[in-house]
Structures are given as C-alpha cells and as structure tokens.
Amino acid sequence: MKPLILSHYTLTNALGRGIDATSLAIKSGKSGLHACDFETLQLDTYIGRVAGIEDEPISGELVNYDCRNNRLAQIALQQDNFLEAAGRAKTKYGPDRIGLFLGTSTSGILETELAYKNYTTKGLGVPDTYHYHETHDNFSLASYIRQVLNITGPSFVVSTACSSSAKVFANASRFIECGFCDAAIIGGVDTLCSTTLHGFSALELMSSDRCRPADINRNGISIGESAGFVLLEKHESKKEGIMLVGYGESSDAYHMATPHPEGLGMADAMSSSLKRAALTANDISYVNLHGTATKTNDATEDKAVVKTLGTNVPCSSTKGWTGHTLGAAGITEAIISVICLKQQLIPKSLNTETIDSSIEANIVLDTHHKPLTYVLSNSFGFGGNNCSLIFGHS
Amino acid sequence: MDTIYLNGIGILAPGFNGWNNTRSILRGEAQYDANQTSDIAVSLMSPREKRRANKTSLLAVHLAEEAIQHADIAPDTLIPVFSSFSGDLQITDKLCTSLADDDPIISAFLFHNSVQNAPAGYWSIATHSTNPSTSIACGCYSFHAAFLEAASVLSTEKKDVLLAVYDLDTPYPLCTQCRADAACGVAMVLSNTNTHQTIAALAVSLTNEITEPYQHSNDEINNLIQKNTSLHAISLLDPIANQYSGKISLNFLDSMSIIITHLNPQNINLINSCDSSREHLTRS
C-alpha cells in the first residue's frame, strides 16, 4: 500500500484530555481505572471514565445531537489544536475532498436507555428531548462531526464491535487510493452505557478489579470510554512524521463471542498487515496487543502473536491504563502506538504482576525507552472481526 | 476506476420476492402486490447457527444466498460489505426494556447478537470464509455508502465483493426518521470479472453536485422505498431491469452525488447480454 501520514491526531480517555495526558500517564504508570460509579449501576467492576462529560452538553444549532457519545467527540475535537488542523486541511483540499470514517459500537445508546427507563417502560412515550436519529443511530457520530467540521466529503461509520475504529484506517486508505477523497479524518468514539456494562457482565467477562492483561490471575475486562481522531494524508516526501504503512483484516469464521482457539483469524490479520507493508516479522519493534485481560483473548492472541512474530518482540496491552474502550479501542491504541514511536517508548503491561506461564510472547513488565522502527497494533471484535495496523516513521 | 460487473442480485421486501420477480415488476411485466412476500429462508447455515442467529442475520444471509446463486460463485471467495442503519434494533428494544429495571439482568446471547456486525459474523461462520468483512452505517444512505465501499474494495483488494444492505422493521421509538417499516434488503455480487452470469456493467464516480432523489412511477413502490432505506438500491436496479444505459445519479449525504454509469451491454460485449431485443434508452 501507499503509506499515509498521520498529520495530526488527538486522544481523550480516562487518562485525561489530549495527547499529553495519555503520554504522561503511560510514563508515570498511573491507571485511569477506578471503581464503577456510572449512573446508578451497581456492578462490582472498574471503569475508565472521562471526567466532566456530564457538565459539557452540546448546545446551539446542534443541540439535538446532545448525548454522552457526541459530547465526548466534542471534547476530544477541542484538544491538541485538532480543529485548526482540520481547518487547514479543508483549505488545502476543499471540504468536499475530505473523507470522514469513524468507528463506534454503541454510539449514543445511553439516551435510549434513559428514555426507556424514565418514560417508555412507564407508559409515558418518549420525551421531546429524545432524538434517536441524532444520538443513538450509529451514523449520528459522523453526522455530528461533519457539521462541526463543516466537511462534505464521503463518510460513514464502521461498526464491527471492538475492531471498529482500527478498520477506519483501511477504509480511508482505500477511498484515498480510489480517488474518492484526497485526505481523511478518521477516528472513533465509544462511551459508557448500561448495555455494554451489563452485557459484558452477563457474558461473565468483567473483572472485579483493574484489568490485568496476560496475568496468571487475570479475570476479565475493565470497560473504558475514549475518543480519538487522526488527519490522514498522502505521504509527500518532504513530510516527516508517523505513517500508516500497513493494515490487515480478517474474519475468524468460528464463533460470535469467542475467538478461534488457535488464533487463526488474529494471525491472518497480522500476516496480512505485514504483507501489505512489505515487512517481515523481524521489522516489528513493539506490539500493542488487543490484550483485553480475559482468559480466552489473551491466550489465543498469544498463540497468534507467537505464530506470526515469534517470542522475542516486546508486547504489552495498554488496557490497564485506559480500560477496554470497545469501539474506540482501535483508534485509542493506534494513537498510543504513535506516541510510543514518537517517544521511542515501550509501555509495560500495567497491573500485570505474574505473567501466565502458558503465555510465550515477550510481555513487557517495565516501561522503558528503546529505538522503535515499526509498531503493530491489534484490535479484535465480536463476530471474529480482526484488524492489525502497522505504523512507522516517514 | 475499472468497470464493475454486477454478477448477482438478491432482494426481499413486501411485494419483491427475489430478483426475477422484481425485474418483472420493474419492467411492468408483472403486477406489484405488497401482500405477496416470501419468508426469510436460508440454506447455508447449520441448524445450530440458525437457532442462535438473530432475525437481521437471517435476513442478510437470505439476501446473500440469492445473490451468490445468481452469480454462481463460491461464497468463501467474496469480501462482504454489509450495511444497515444500526445494529439489530428489535434486540436493542428488548435490551433497553430489560435495562429499565432497577436490578437488570440481560441475556448474554441478545447482547452479542445486538452488535451491528452480527450478520457478517454469522455469514463468515456459515460459509467458513475468513475473508475480512466490513459492517457500516450511514443513516438514510446505507446503500450508497456500501456501494462506494464495495467499489473501493474491488479496486484495491482485487477480490469479488458481496454487498448486502438490510434492516428489520423497527419498533417505536427507535429510528423514527429514516425508519424501516418492514424486513427489507438487497444484496449484490460485484466483480472485476465479466462472467456468463453478468447482469450489468457499471462505472462509478463522485461529484459534488446534488441530484434529485429517485422517484418510481408507482406510488406504492415509491412509498415502500421512502420508508425503507435499504431499498434505495432500486434506483440502480430499475434502470438495470429495464436495460436503460446511461448515468444514474444517487444523492449521497445531501452534499454530493454518486454517479453510476450503466454501460450499454452492446458496447461492452457482456458475455451474457440478457435481453438484447429490448430497445436501449438513455436516461441521464
């Protein structure tokens, strides 16, 4: 593939607002997870919640879009001068030549949950303030951001559960390659809601503690929320920065909620990303694992990593910091991979005390500096939907 | 961009029971009757997966099966591009009703079937296809976005694409604006290869001009299309059924148009020039 440069990017999650907040937390080893205090939920678990969303409603012309998911999008877009970068891209390419591809798994479903709880199930219909189309609908995120940024190019939302906002890199690459757009703004937003907290609880996949990826005593995920955005442009030789050099996608064709036991689909996605980048396993300096901290994911991902990349390459999951941000996990960990490349930093597997002896990959237990050339980031979702991305320096 | 060959079509909606029936109705050779609707039927899924699958997934697989039968192609060779306006909203309705309880208990099964890519997941399991799939949402423009994504996959991945766009009838108060009022959908096999099964040859481009939405002359059909986002595909299927060659403009996101040129079958030497006796009209 023709590499694409990540000209500008921003990230907001439980670690704070903007790139520096995540970067500082990774260096200091401070987790963003805390005991669940979301709405009135009584669940024995930890969550990665973004502070202050409740106090920053969307107002003005776009008031109907006001919901937790779009509020987090609003907050994230205001960090790291992203709006200015989008404005410059608009001037350079024209608003109709910028594509917008975003990932989410549950969009603004919290609005529907609250409408049902407070009105519908009490026979009260729905309140005038409930707007399905602008909040809960999976396209509402892109519809909202098209209007905030005033861009008019091709756009859609990818919703493939926990790989959603990794796959948008592939969509943007294909659309730019085809000439459907000249540049793209990509990203993803997923926010806390009862559906996912109770849903993963019903699947018995939630940890009662801060998640511990690859640990012998790991007992499930901690759910977080996050929003990240990237401006992707064609690479011009004079530009320096971090580039997307490869992506790989695959399906498990095995089970809706459990990965293939040998990690075949995961391995396929990684191999395909290497092939597209014209790289070999030895070129990868660090792997940011999907690493959800469930028994099954970490064991099968380990098999896939060992099969594809061997046992030497340093690996870690950063979900101990952010929690599993589901539909936003792809973009969150892509941007963390970029931070690692920029700072030549390998983050440890936070909260991991004793590595599961059956795990053969090189799980990193101390955050340290090391020269990095290429970083691979994994994202895997329900339905056996897998995506791997490779980033490198220009 | 290379020519896109449409090698198979699947369609199910009130009064539209498969492509052969739909083609006859669109040509004016058969009467449209909204009460004549086939049941969803799938053959590729195992009985166990059929029991596990949600209705949206069964609908998507039904549509895909018809399209691949027309295209006479092995299902595991295709890259699926699936599109709907959200996940399974009938499940969402059930989940949100359960979640309204003070101490809610929800079904793990319903939860994992609620994701928008459940149909693509069940399709991959049914066909043992490890090809990557994409599941996208684009409000009232589900078909348009899926068609563009399919064109981009064909052009860059060089593999045949299975496009499927579908929605179930949605319960109040979900999806009040671009709602679906019946289980409906369309599937297409799109290819870089002209085969004995090829129905039409197409070229696609984008323009920032806005065009008027498609209108069908039959009010009942027009109403059905307006109420069911996935059936916007009929604006492409109508000229194909009637062998009009020329440009078809689809308003996309109220800010641009997708121009699909239906190439004249006589000029591009379709291996299967289905009905050359009909006069070719140009509608642009």
Side-chain angles (χ1 to χ4, degrees):
Chain A
M1 67 170 280
K2 289 178 188 151
L4 294 168
I5 194 150
L6 285 73
S7 310
H8 212 90
Y9 42 88
T10 185
L11 180 64
T12 291
N13 55 46
L15 301 173
R17 301 177 179 202
I19 294 292
D20 287 349
T22 294
S23 180
L24 284 171
I26 286 176
K27 281 183 205 156
S28 68
K30 189 170 179 286
S31 173
L33 303 176
H34 61 260
C36 181
D37 60 353
F38 182 68
E39 294 282 326
T40 55
L41 266 64
Q42 294 180 351
L43 288 170
D44 181 22
T45 191
Y46 277 68
I47 57 171
R49 177 179 185 161
V50 176
I53 298 180
E54 296 77 8
D55 308 323
E56 296 177 51
I58 291 166
S59 55
E61 279 182 11
L62 298 177
V63 65
N64 288 355
Y65 285 86
D66 186 33
C67 67
R68 188 172 186 90
N69 215 52
N70 291 334
R71 284 185 190 191
L72 181 53
Q74 170 180 253
I75 291 167
L77 285 171
Q78 288 165 356
Q79 314 305 318
D80 298 310
N81 299 314
F82 194 85
L83 291 171
E84 289 77 1
R88 284 195 299 276
K90 219 163 54 175
T91 307
K92 181 175 174 184
Y93 299 106
D96 58 330
R97 294 297 301 167
I98 300 175
L100 178 70
F101 309 101
L102 303 171
T104 189
S105 70
T106 48
S107 195
I109 197 172
L110 178 61
E111 288 302 302
T112 299
E113 292 171 5
L114 294 173
Y116 272 59
K117 191 176 175 73
N118 298 326
Y119 295 88
T120 312
T121 54
K122 293 178 177 166
L124 299 172
V126 284
D128 291 342
T129 49
Y130 174 74
H131 305 281
Y132 168 84
H133 196 66
E134 288 85 353
T135 58
H136 177 168
D137 188 89
N138 274 350
F139 186 64
S140 82
L141 172 66
S143 179
Y144 170 65
I145 290 173
R146 271 168 67 83
Q147 293 174 79
V148 171
L149 300 179
N150 208 7
I151 53 175
T152 56
S155 177
F156 53 76
V157 161
V158 173
S159 193
T160 55
C162 305
S163 59
S164 305
S165 60
K167 286 173 76 75
V168 292
F169 282 92
N171 301 111
S173 169
R174 289 192 281 261
F175 268 58
I176 292 171
E177 176 89 28
C178 286
F180 288 156
C181 55
D182 295 323
I185 289 169
I186 59 160
V189 186
D190 239 7
T191 33
L192 295 170
C193 58
S194 296
T195 302
T196 50
L197 285 160
H198 280 288
F200 280 102
S201 182
L203 284 164
E204 299 179 344
L205 291 177
M206 299 252 283
S207 175
S208 54
D209 202 346
R210 290 182 182 87
C211 68
R212 284 169 282 175
D215 194 283
I216 184 70
N217 293 318
R218 67 186 183 278
N219 61 356
I221 68 172
S222 305
I223 293 181
E225 56 191 351
S226 181
F229 298 98
V230 172
L231 170 62
L232 270 182
E233 298 180 79
K234 289 177 192 165
H235 179 237
E236 295 160 11
S237 53
K238 60 185 179 202
K239 271 192 191 164
E240 284 189 13
I242 305 298
M243 298 191 304
L244 171 77
V245 299
Y247 63 83
E249 302 168 279
S250 74
S251 300
D252 273 6
Y254 177 72
H255 190 272
M256 275 306 294
T258 306
H260 186 283
E262 298 304 315
L264 293 186
M266 297 171 173
D268 249 16
M270 283 185 268
S271 307
S272 162
S273 68
L274 285 171
K275 192 175 165 196
R276 204 179 301 272
L279 295 174
T280 65
N282 292 335
D283 295 315
I284 303 299
S285 324
Y286 164 63
V287 180
N288 187 289
L289 298 167
H290 186 54
T292 59
T294 64
K295 290 278 183 207
T296 311
N297 176 83
D298 292 6
T300 49
E301 185 177 15
D302 182 62
K303 287 180 186 168
V305 167
V306 170
K307 183 184 172 196
T308 319
L309 303 169
T311 54
N312 289 331
V313 59
C315 301
S316 64
S317 160
T318 45
K319 287 186 167 69
W321 270 281
T322 60
H324 188 353
T325 61
L326 308 176
I331 195 71
T332 301
E333 289 152 30
I335 293 174
I336 289 176
S337 298
V338 171
I339 293 172
C340 294
L341 273 166
K342 287 281 250 191
Q343 306 203 355
Q344 302 284 287
L345 185 76
I346 296 183
K348 67 179 176 182
S349 184
L350 185 66
N351 308 330
T352 307
E353 289 170 7
T354 309
I355 297 170
D356 182 342
S357 58
S358 69
I359 286 182
E360 295 178 67
N362 176 14
I363 304 294
V364 177
L365 291 180
D366 61 315
T367 301
H368 60 280
H369 286 278
K370 193 185 168 190
L372 302 178
T373 45
Y374 293 103
V375 171
L376 187 148
S377 176
N378 278 337
S379 297
F380 309 130
F382 274 167
N385 197 299
N386 311 305
C387 185
S388 300
L389 303 169
I390 303 178
F391 300 97
H393 298 276
S394 61
Chain B
M1 189 175 257
D2 294 338
T3 301
I4 297 172
Y5 296 97
L6 172 55
N7 292 351
I9 299 171
I11 180 166
L12 183 68
F16 289 122
N17 302 297
W19 172 235
N20 289 337
N21 166 249
T22 301
R23 187 175 54 189
S24 300
I25 294 166
L26 294 173
R27 284 177 170 181
E29 295 165 358
Q31 194 75 23
Y32 176 73
D33 180 358
N35 296 318
Q36 294 289 319
T37 306
S38 302
D39 290 333
I40 295 171
V42 300
S43 60
L44 284 171
M45 295 174 86
S46 68
R48 187 183 70 165
E49 291 301 314
K50 256 193 244 183
R51 279 196 306 275
R52 287 180 168 186
N54 53 329
K55 193 176 168 191
T56 308
S57 297
L58 295 171
L59 171 62
V61 173
H62 170 107
L63 296 163
E65 284 187 12
E66 191 199 346
I68 62 165
Q69 274 163 18
H70 282 300
D72 192 21
I73 191 169
D76 62 356
T77 59
L78 299 159
I79 297 188
V81 172
F82 283 12
S83 183
S84 57
F85 47 61
S86 259
D88 187 316
L89 291 176
Q90 293 188 358
I91 292 183
T92 302
D93 179 60
K94 287 181 191 153
L95 289 177
C96 288
T97 302
S98 300
L99 289 167
D101 286 349
D102 288 336
D103 191 12
I105 296 171
I106 66 170
S107 151
F109 217 60
L110 284 182
F111 174 59
H112 71 60
N113 275 354
S114 74
V115 296
Q116 187 167 350
N117 61 313
Y122 281 109
W123 172 257
S124 71
I125 296 166
T127 59
H128 311 289
S129 170
T130 56
N131 286 337
S133 67
T134 305
S135 298
I136 60 181
C138 197
C140 301
Y141 298 97
S142 299
F143 169 69
H144 309 62
F147 193 85
L148 270 191
E149 169 66 5
S152 82
V153 171
L154 268 179
S155 170
T156 56
E157 313 285 337
K158 309 292 182 201
K159 279 191 174 180
D160 292 355
V161 173
L162 170 64
L163 178 158
V165 49
Y166 46 81
D167 279 298
L168 296 182
D169 43 318
T170 52
Y172 174 85
L174 304 173
C175 218
T176 45
Q177 190 174 330
C178 61
R179 57 195 289 260
D181 70 352
C184 287
V186 172
M188 296 178 181
V189 171
L190 300 167
S191 174
N192 292 309
T193 313
N194 181 4
T195 73
H196 285 283
Q197 314 304 324
T198 297
I199 297 163
L202 309 167
V204 63
S205 62
L206 267 181
T207 141
N208 56 11
E209 288 165 20
I210 301 171
T211 42
E212 289 299 310
Y214 165 88
Q215 296 275 329
H216 194 274
S217 52
N218 178 321
D219 286 346
E220 218 181 342
I221 294 175
N222 216 28
N223 243 330
L224 183 77
I225 296 170
Q226 297 318 315
K227 285 183 176 172
N228 294 282
T229 296
S230 61
L231 296 184
H232 287 191
I234 289 176
S235 52
L236 173 61
L237 298 183
D238 185 5
I240 287 171
N242 287 292
Q243 298 218 309
Y244 295 126
S245 54
K247 286 180 179 173
I248 304 148
S249 296
L250 304 176
N251 173 1
F252 184 39
L253 293 166
D254 282 329
S255 65
M256 69 198 101
S257 295
I258 302 170
I259 309 292
I260 303 175
T261 308
H262 181 210
L263 303 169
N264 189 325
Q266 288 182 334
N267 293 347
I268 51 136
N269 294 321
L270 277 192
I271 293 173
N272 170 28
S273 184
C274 30
D275 191 354
S276 55
S277 63
R278 287 179 69 86
E279 191 182 355
H280 297 290
L281 303 173
T282 300
R283 177 202 271 182
S284 59

